[in-house]
């Protein structure tokens, strides 16, 4: 009997959602994992999981055991790191998910620098604008831009992300420069996403407002929208990490500057059991330092 190991196995079952998936992560057989969980329940004298042919659901006591177990597992890991010495070389694989456009603009050079500083670390990167299931898909860390949903994930603020309404000088010379959001109804706009009707949000004159915008092109890629705006196809609304260079070069110019919303937050989010993992800790601190002036 190894209570620590049983706790670790149970935590993996909870996070993976099945005995089969947990066994694959642990490198064990499904039968062994199932038997250990049953033995854990027998030792505690309670049912931790409700089993069906389709899924596993934690009982209230199972959820309580899982949450407190994560804390204890984290404390054990932290203690071992402290005893073994924090100066030991960082090792392990960091599975990371990040937004595509942001990663292309910033993450490539930063990951190279991080890996050069820590030769014992491997990184697996998934570039996607979707909100991945960190626990279910086995990610250690995800970078997300915008308001975070309430969840059991740990979130750390990395940097602020400014957004700008902008268009090319040629477009504005031909169509006029909007002074208030309502004037966008007479303009071609280049919205992000595939929704048939897109609402752009504004804040000015002490109040918030929204305007339905439309145009001849919409896309779920910021670089494509930036290039269309530079070509004079309309007004777009994008983060400065995509349009910053075009603004500096004068190929795009800001509009409606008095109506821009506050900056979004770039955050690192990770499961509770990963918050004491040294690769996660060190990488988050590295990003906070390097992206402080994003």
């Amino acid at each position: 009997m190894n209570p620590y190991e049983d706790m670790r196995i149970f935590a993996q079952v909870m996070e993976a959602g099945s005995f089969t998936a947990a066994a694959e992560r642990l490198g064990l057989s499904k039968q062994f994992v199932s038997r250990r969980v049953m033995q854990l329940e027998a030792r505690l004298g309670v049912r931790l999981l409700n089993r069906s042919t389709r899924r596993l659901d934690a009982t209230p006591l199972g959820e309580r055991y899982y949450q407190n177990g994560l804390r204890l597992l984290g404390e054990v890991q932290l203690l071992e790191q402290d005893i073994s010495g924090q100066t030991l070389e960082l090792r392990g694989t960091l599975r990371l998910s990040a937004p595509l456009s942001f990663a292309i603009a910033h993450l490539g050079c930063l990951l190279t620098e991080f890996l050069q500083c820590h030769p014992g670390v491997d990184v697996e990167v998934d570039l996607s604008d979707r909100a991945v299931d960190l626990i279910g898909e086995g990610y250690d860390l995800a970078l997300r831009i915008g308001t975070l949903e309430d969840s059991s994930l740990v979130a750390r603020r990395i940097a602020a992300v400014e957004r700008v309404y902008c268009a090319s000088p040629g477009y504005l010379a031909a169509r006029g420069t909007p002074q208030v959001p309502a004037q966008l109804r007479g303009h071609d706009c280049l919205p992000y996403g595939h929704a048939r009707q897109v609402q752009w949000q504004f804040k000015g004159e002490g109040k918030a407002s929204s305007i339905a915008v439309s145009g001849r092109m919409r896309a779920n890629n910021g670089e494509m929208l930036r290039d269309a705006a530079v070509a004079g196809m309309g007004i777009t609304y994008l983060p400065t990490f995509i349009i910053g260079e075009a603004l500096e070069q004068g190929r795009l110019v800001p509009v409606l500057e008095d109506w821009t919303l506050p900056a979004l937050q770039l955050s690192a989010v990770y499961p509770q059991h990963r918050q004491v993992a040294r690769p996660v800790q060190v990488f988050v601190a590295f990003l906070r330092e390097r992206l402080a002036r994003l």
Side-chain angles (χ1 to χ4, degrees):
M1 180 185 69
N2 186 330
Y4 174 82
E5 187 64 17
D6 286 345
M7 187 179 294
R8 189 173 73 91
I9 290 173
F10 182 75
Q12 285 291 328
V13 171
M14 286 286 289
E15 290 164 12
S18 71
F19 291 125
T20 301
E24 290 177 357
R25 292 186 185 182
L26 292 165
L28 303 170
S29 70
K30 173 186 174 182
Q31 293 75 17
F32 180 83
V33 170
S34 176
R35 186 168 64 250
R36 288 296 289 265
V37 172
M38 291 177 63
Q39 290 172 350
L40 172 63
E41 290 177 317
R43 188 175 78 249
L44 296 175
V46 298
R47 180 176 291 277
L48 300 175
L49 294 171
N50 290 320
R51 301 158 173 82
S52 70
T53 56
R54 292 186 177 182
R55 56 182 296 175
L56 299 174
D57 290 307
T59 66
L61 286 175
E63 183 65 31
R64 179 180 171 187
Y65 183 84
Y66 169 65
Q67 295 297 337
N68 285 306
L70 282 183
R71 178 179 55 80
L72 292 172
L73 290 170
E75 290 178 355
V76 170
Q77 185 177 5
L78 194 60
L79 174 62
E80 291 181 347
Q81 292 171 0
D82 181 60
I83 295 299
S84 63
Q86 291 291 337
T87 58
L88 292 178
E89 180 183 357
L90 206 63
R91 292 187 177 277
T93 298
L94 187 67
R95 294 200 67 219
L96 168 68
S97 173
L100 175 63
S101 294
F102 175 82
I104 292 174
H106 291 289
L107 208 55
C109 58
L110 290 178
L111 280 174
T112 299
E113 180 184 354
F114 183 77
L115 291 174
Q116 289 172 341
C117 293
H118 303 286
V121 175
D122 296 333
V123 176
E124 297 177 9
V125 187
D126 174 62
L127 302 185
S128 173
D129 290 335
R130 71 184 180 91
V132 300
D133 179 356
L134 272 77
I135 295 176
E137 298 179 54
Y139 288 96
D140 298 301
L141 175 74
L143 298 180
R144 291 181 178 166
I145 298 173
T147 303
L148 300 175
E149 297 180 358
D150 291 336
S151 72
S152 61
L153 299 174
V154 178
R156 292 286 306 278
R157 180 186 179 278
I158 300 296
V161 176
E162 300 285 350
R163 295 168 294 170
V164 176
Y165 296 99
C166 59
S168 71
Y171 174 88
L172 296 176
R175 300 288 298 273
T177 300
Q179 302 301 315
V180 295
Q183 293 177 352
L184 289 175
R185 296 190 180 98
H187 283 270
D188 289 326
C189 295
L190 300 165
Y192 182 94
H194 291 151
R196 289 187 175 275
Q197 187 169 9
V198 176
Q199 297 279 336
W200 278 356
Q201 307 299 316
F202 301 88
K203 188 171 185 180
E205 298 182 347
K207 61 181 180 180
S209 61
S210 63
I211 297 293
V213 297
S214 61
R216 297 175 58 199
M217 177 179 171
R218 62 174 63 89
N220 66 343
N221 178 266
E223 285 81 4
M224 184 173 289
L225 295 173
R226 175 201 60 203
D227 293 347
V230 169
M233 293 295 295
I235 298 172
T236 192
Y237 182 46
L238 292 171
T240 53
F241 64 76
I242 296 177
I243 58 174
E245 183 176 345
L247 290 171
E248 291 175 1
Q249 296 172 348
R251 294 183 295 150
L252 294 174
V253 294
V255 299
L256 300 170
E257 293 182 85
D258 294 334
W259 295 83
T260 301
L261 291 172
L264 297 174
Q265 299 299 323
L266 170 67
S267 302
V269 297
Y270 41 90
Q272 293 182 27
H273 71 283
R274 300 301 294 158
Q275 62 184 314
V276 296
R278 286 195 66 221
V280 171
Q281 289 180 325
V282 174
F283 185 65
V284 170
F286 172 81
L287 291 180
R288 285 170 62 88
E289 178 185 349
R290 295 297 191 274
L291 296 174
R293 297 180 179 85
L294 180 64

